[in-house]
Amino acid sequence: MDEFNNDFETYTQTQEEPQRGPEAEPKKKLFSIRKVVQIGVSAVAFGLIAGLTMQGVFYGFSKAGVGTNGTQLATTTTSTGGSSSSSSDLTGVSSSVMPAIVSITCTFESTTQGIFGQTQSSESEGAGSGIIVGKKGGYLYIATNNHVVDSAKAISVGFVDGKTVAATTKGTDTDADLAVVQVKLSSMKSSTLNKIKVITMGDSSKLKVGERAIAIGNALGYGQSVTGGYISAVDRKVQLTDSTMTLLQTDAAINPGNSGGALLNSKGELIGINTVKYASEDVEGMGYAIPVNSAKKIINELIKEEVISESQQAYLGITGRTVSTDVASQYNMPAGVYVNTVVSASPAKTGGISAEDIITKFNGDTVSSIEGLQNKISKKKAGTKVTITVKRKNQEGTYQTKKLTVTLGKKSEDTSNSNSNSNSNSNSNSSGSSYGNSYDNSYGTDNY
């Protein structure tokens, strides 16, 4: 936890009132869906609901809160677990934490092709939530879910005083479903800066079932709302469409628009980032949040993330495809990224990666999709040494874990498109090879 807090300088507001950046006028909101599948029940990301339209996403935005200049990155508490509140009244927590919660509105552009081949472009909007995690270097940093801002053409953030300011994506992690967006402090009024605050971090490792849980977020795009409940389970394995995440479970009502919002204990400390919920006539009160102890390391890395120039971009040198949890179960193999081929003389080849390996971790972070692997590689400079964990099938048909050190090469030197120098495993009768052949023949492979 100390690493999260000590890596950044504090920011003190000394300048005169800056000019506001562009404001986004409320428009009709089109909410998207993210599905979760487990034991026959579908769960949707409460970032947004398909087909539902909503007027005035900032309407009724709460003005509760205590004025503060929020001059540091998110602090970590030293409490020893357990929530002390004996009252069901959430007003104290709500008023103190609301200044650290924001509404996020994104504009998305889509292209469709008509029956006569003409191309048509259209825009839609979606609403989610975010949490202020720090200030540094003239920017305000806000944590949210990746699925809230993924592919957004434009992003705006609404604060506790109802003001909205344009924002940009600082960094994303698709596998962890986390993102950080940034707002220029110079685009915000000093009156807004005096009302917002940085969230206080809790310790999700010390949570116990039955503790109080409070969810705050931009439910249905109406503005911030508060719901209360309890921690129903910790370390819950939740199977998503193409991955499995270890999450906190709560019965605090989490609704569309709450994606990226805060799950708090009764002291107002952040214990989780809301991400998915079950949606079924047979299920009630099953929402999930990313534990803050898992999220803070990734958020910290995203804040520090540098823009990699084209000449410095790294590559690995494989072709591969996602092994989703459903496919993994069908083929009796680990979930991750199945390596179809390895390019000769590539960083992957030199580092010991073989065809039919399944990449499960990159520098200790879980890899659950080819897009997630690409995302992680894109953040590294050529020449960087990374640790890649693979599952490799042995002669007995079981998978063994191997940690390999790979020095990433320059993307400009990637020759994997030729496939003429690709290395493939000779064990063509294995289930992994069967998966690779059948899947790649249908869908092709991606080069990284």
Side-chain angles (χ1 to χ4, degrees):
M1 291 187 177
D2 291 337
E3 177 187 358
F4 185 85
N5 303 315
N6 296 332
D7 282 342
F8 301 95
E9 302 171 358
T10 59
Y11 174 88
T12 304
Q13 180 69 29
T14 58
Q15 60 202 93
E16 296 181 358
E17 180 174 307
Q19 296 297 314
R20 290 183 60 195
E23 291 189 9
E25 291 295 326
K27 297 180 181 179
K28 185 177 292 185
K29 307 301 172 190
L30 177 62
F31 296 99
S32 68
I33 259 184
R34 179 175 182 235
K35 293 185 177 178
V36 178
V37 179
Q38 184 177 22
I39 55 175
V41 182
S42 67
V44 297
F46 29 82
L48 320 164
I49 300 179
L52 176 64
T53 59
M54 196 64 58
Q55 291 286 346
V57 69
F58 298 119
Y59 179 78
F61 193 80
S62 174
K63 293 180 175 58
V66 179
T68 176
N69 60 6
T71 58
Q72 61 182 10
L73 218 80
T75 56
T76 302
T77 65
T78 56
S79 59
T80 56
S83 298
S84 60
S85 176
S86 59
S87 171
S88 60
D89 187 358
L90 306 181
T91 56
V93 171
S94 301
S95 62
S96 65
V97 176
M98 201 71 79
I101 312 300
V102 303
S103 300
I104 297 178
T105 304
C106 297
T107 301
F108 302 93
E109 187 174 44
S110 59
T111 303
T112 57
Q113 192 169 31
I115 58 174
F116 299 108
Q118 73 276 23
T119 300
Q120 296 179 330
S121 297
S122 60
E123 288 188 351
S124 60
E125 287 189 340
S129 306
I131 306 162
I132 299 174
V133 294
K135 291 180 181 180
K136 186 197 174 186
Y139 287 95
L140 186 72
Y141 294 111
I142 297 163
T144 186
N145 288 142
N146 175 68
H147 72 261
V148 171
V149 298
D150 185 32
S151 303
K153 179 182 177 182
I155 303 171
S156 64
V157 172
F159 296 100
V160 69
D161 60 352
K163 305 301 182 183
T164 64
V165 180
T168 57
T169 301
K170 178 65 171 67
T172 63
D173 189 314
T174 55
D175 285 332
D177 194 24
L178 290 170
V180 171
V181 299
Q182 61 185 12
V183 173
K184 289 183 178 180
L185 292 170
S186 60
S187 69
M188 300 172 62
K189 283 182 173 291
S190 59
S191 58
T192 300
L193 287 167
N194 288 331
K195 290 181 180 179
I196 63 174
K197 66 182 292 185
V198 175
I199 199 74
T200 298
M201 295 284 177
D203 187 348
S204 57
S205 69
K206 296 178 180 178
L207 289 174
K208 296 180 180 179
V209 173
E211 285 191 44
R212 198 75 165 127
I214 304 160
I216 301 182
N218 182 24
L220 295 179
Y222 281 124
Q224 307 301 1
S225 63
V226 180
T227 58
Y230 299 91
I231 297 295
S232 305
V234 296
D235 298 328
R236 180 71 82 197
K237 300 290 185 182
V238 179
Q239 183 177 326
L240 310 180
T241 303
D242 56 3
S243 65
T244 299
M245 297 181 71
T246 302
L247 304 171
L248 300 173
Q249 180 182 329
T250 180
D251 67 344
I254 297 174
N255 296 296
N258 278 124
S259 277
L263 188 68
L264 311 159
N265 61 22
S266 62
K267 298 176 182 178
E269 301 162 353
L270 182 70
I271 55 174
I273 299 176
N274 300 324
T275 185
V276 291
K277 69 174 291 186
Y278 279 117
S280 169
E281 293 180 356
D282 302 323
V283 176
E284 183 176 347
M286 293 182 70
Y288 296 90
I290 303 168
V292 69
N293 286 21
S294 300
K296 63 186 177 182
K297 172 180 177 289
I298 297 171
I299 292 170
N300 192 41
E301 291 175 348
L302 295 178
I303 290 175
K304 294 189 295 184
E305 193 172 287
E306 298 179 6
V307 176
I308 308 299
S309 66
E310 187 174 352
S311 62
Q312 294 177 314
Q313 289 179 356
Y315 94 107
L316 182 59
I318 68 166
T319 64
R321 296 298 294 181
T322 299
V323 182
S324 68
T325 51
D326 288 342
V327 171
S329 176
Q330 179 182 353
Y331 286 91
N332 192 28
M333 61 199 301
V337 171
Y338 174 85
V339 178
N340 184 65
T341 59
V342 179
V343 178
S344 295
S346 68
K349 177 67 174 177
T350 304
I353 297 176
S354 298
E356 298 191 11
D357 281 350
I358 298 174
I359 298 173
T360 58
K361 290 185 178 181
F362 185 95
N363 271 354
D365 295 330
T366 300
V367 172
S368 58
S369 66
I370 194 71
E371 294 82 9
L373 178 61
Q374 181 190 31
N375 180 261
K376 290 174 173 60
I377 294 172
S378 68
K379 299 172 184 177
K380 301 296 181 182
K381 291 182 180 180
T384 302
K385 287 187 177 182
V386 297
T387 301
I388 296 179
T389 303
V390 303
K391 298 282 188 178
R392 182 172 296 170
K393 199 170 188 179
N394 58 27
Q395 293 181 345
E396 288 74 34
T398 59
Y399 285 88
Q400 294 181 322
T401 300
K402 293 185 178 294
K403 289 186 177 182
L404 306 172
T405 300
V406 178
T407 301
L408 299 174
K410 288 186 178 181
K411 189 175 182 180
S412 59
E413 299 173 357
D414 182 7
T415 59
S416 60
N417 287 330
S418 66
N419 285 329
S420 58
N421 294 322
S422 296
N423 164 55
S424 60
N425 195 309
S426 60
N427 185 14
S428 59
N429 293 323
S430 69
S431 61
S433 179
S434 298
Y435 162 76
N437 291 337
S438 62
Y439 197 79
D440 294 329
N441 286 340
S442 299
Y443 299 99
T445 57
D446 292 321
N447 303 328
Y448 298 109

